[in-house]
Amino acid sequence: MSANLKYLSLGILVFQTTSLVLTMRYSRTLKEEGPRYLSSTAVVVAELLKIMACILLVYKDSKCSLRALNRVLHDEILNKPMETLKLAIPSGIYTLQNNLLYVALSNLDAATYQVTYQLKILTTALFSVSMLSKKLGVYQWLSLVILMTGVAFVQWPSDSQLDSKELSAGSQFVGLMAVLTACFSSGFAGVYFEKILKETKQSVWIRNIQLGFFGSIFGLMGVYIYDGELVSKNGFFQGYNRLTWIVVVLQALGGLVIAAVIKYADNILKGFATSLSIILSTLISYFWLQDFVPTRVSLCRQARVLWPDLGSRQPPTPWFKAFSCLSP
């Protein structure tokens, strides 16, 4: 049973990661009449959906008893205010990160975004060493160096890009800065969240409820500050369509899938799922979205990024000890 759940969670993670990147990219570049949906409101709705899903999971764990559910929520959240407040830091960072991902995918093709976002492996490693006192072997540091080199090659313009005089509608520099900032926020928030989980015995679902609560507050603050005028003019759900709701549901599903992978699988499978998602995103970005033109050089660049993600997470060798990460 546990083996089936392991591979089921792996498959869902690959599906969720690939689908979210592609649908988000497509929804942000699709040209339609009327205003485009606000990414800040989408982040808030995703947090609320995640809270609702986690409450249902806690309800199931409480043997479908409303009285038991109320007691668990009261004891684990209301009666432990300091433990709950600890989640405010990663929650605020995750909210910032989710907004940055919309910015990144509005200005980068899906394949470039997926490859560049793998720098979060490096930031996670650095924060794991500094915050959790973890030790990495020589081969792991070598893999991280190769990862950095691969991402640098991905961002390096090709000859055809240098010769082209056409300007893209989005700014690649803005997208690059957004995804790099998301990488650092993902690394820090993931390691911080892992540290909290290891120091307490609360369930992952309770922690996700706490994260979602603060995430909703921070998200609503962002809506008011940056998009308050647009919301008052066109409404909170302006520009929402079926595709938008798919993106929101997939984003909410992300936190739940990561929790399931951590519970039933491990970080080796998580790294494999991420790499497989990059390959699928590249193929679909080329054949469906048609916003990525692969060349021999670009494929070699992506292979350079995938090698440390796959190669350094193969079934453990004597020197291998994987570092863990709880990032969305």
Side-chain angles (χ1 to χ4, degrees):
M1 184 64 179
S2 60
N4 293 334
L5 290 174
K6 176 189 297 185
Y7 292 108
L8 177 62
S9 61
L10 171 64
I12 295 176
L13 178 60
V14 173
F15 169 78
Q16 185 272 335
T17 304
T18 306
S19 302
L20 176 61
V21 170
L22 294 173
T23 53
M24 189 184 294
R25 167 66 179 173
Y26 185 68
S27 68
R28 298 305 289 174
T29 57
L30 183 64
K31 295 181 180 179
E32 290 186 338
E33 296 182 359
R36 186 167 63 175
Y37 76 92
L38 302 175
S39 60
S40 58
T41 62
V43 170
V44 173
V45 176
E47 292 293 335
L48 294 176
L49 289 179
K50 186 170 68 174
I51 292 175
M52 293 171 59
C54 289
I55 290 177
L56 289 177
L57 289 170
V58 175
Y59 174 71
K60 180 181 179 182
D61 291 340
S62 302
K63 299 180 180 180
C64 299
S65 171
L66 289 177
R67 181 176 299 178
L69 171 65
N70 182 66
R71 184 173 63 253
V72 170
L73 295 178
H74 189 273
D75 293 341
E76 297 295 334
I77 298 178
L78 297 180
N79 286 350
K80 298 179 180 179
M82 297 307 299
E83 291 294 325
T84 302
L85 285 175
K86 288 181 180 179
L87 274 297
I89 296 177
S91 178
I93 297 176
Y94 281 143
T95 303
L96 171 64
Q97 173 188 326
N98 289 334
N99 281 280
L100 288 173
L101 296 187
Y102 280 98
V103 175
L105 283 167
S106 298
N107 296 280
L108 296 174
D109 61 81
T112 301
Y113 160 82
Q114 276 280 57
V115 174
T116 307
Y117 194 43
Q118 296 315 298
L119 271 177
K120 68 180 181 180
I121 299 175
L122 172 64
T123 60
T124 300
L126 296 176
F127 284 119
S128 295
V129 171
S130 60
M131 296 174 61
L132 300 178
S133 300
K134 292 189 176 181
K135 296 182 180 180
L136 303 182
V138 175
Y139 289 99
Q140 289 174 300
W141 285 115
L142 178 61
S143 297
L144 293 173
V145 171
I146 294 176
L147 172 67
M148 293 177 61
T149 307
V151 172
F153 273 119
V154 169
Q155 295 300 330
W156 193 272
S158 62
D159 294 337
S160 60
Q161 289 174 316
L162 291 173
D163 296 336
S164 178
K165 295 182 180 180
E166 296 182 0
L167 295 177
S168 61
S171 171
Q172 187 172 6
F173 177 77
V174 173
L176 178 60
M177 289 298 101
V179 74
L180 288 178
T181 305
C183 286
F184 278 94
S185 65
S186 174
F188 175 78
V191 174
Y192 183 90
F193 189 38
E194 179 183 357
K195 184 178 177 67
I196 292 177
L197 283 179
K198 288 185 175 181
E199 293 177 349
T200 60
K201 296 182 179 180
Q202 286 181 314
S203 70
V204 176
W205 310 128
I206 292 294
R207 287 306 194 184
N208 272 326
I209 293 174
Q210 295 168 325
L211 278 175
F213 172 74
F214 289 110
S216 301
I217 294 177
F218 290 129
L220 287 173
M221 291 172 59
V223 172
Y224 177 78
I225 294 173
Y226 296 106
D227 299 316
E229 294 184 3
L230 292 175
V231 171
S232 61
K233 181 180 179 181
N234 299 314
F236 189 88
F237 294 101
Q238 60 178 286
Y240 275 58
N241 52 31
R242 184 179 300 177
L243 180 61
T244 307
W245 283 107
I246 292 176
V247 172
V248 170
V249 171
L250 286 173
Q251 191 172 22
L253 180 65
L256 303 179
V257 173
I258 292 296
V261 169
I262 292 168
K263 183 175 182 179
Y264 297 113
D266 52 34
N267 290 282
I268 296 175
L269 291 177
K270 183 181 175 184
F272 176 79
T274 302
S275 301
L276 184 58
S277 176
I278 293 176
I279 297 173
L280 292 176
S281 297
T282 301
L283 293 175
I284 299 175
S285 184
Y286 171 67
F287 288 106
W288 180 37
L289 298 181
Q290 298 181 351
D291 60 355
F292 176 72
V293 181
T295 62
R296 292 182 179 179
V297 176
S298 65
L299 292 177
C300 289
R301 292 170 178 173
Q302 292 200 30
R304 186 184 290 265
V305 175
L306 289 172
W307 184 87
D309 202 23
L310 287 174
S312 65
R313 286 175 167 77
Q314 292 301 311
T317 56
W319 48 265
F320 178 78
K321 183 178 181 182
F323 51 82
S324 58
C325 166
L326 282 175
S327 58

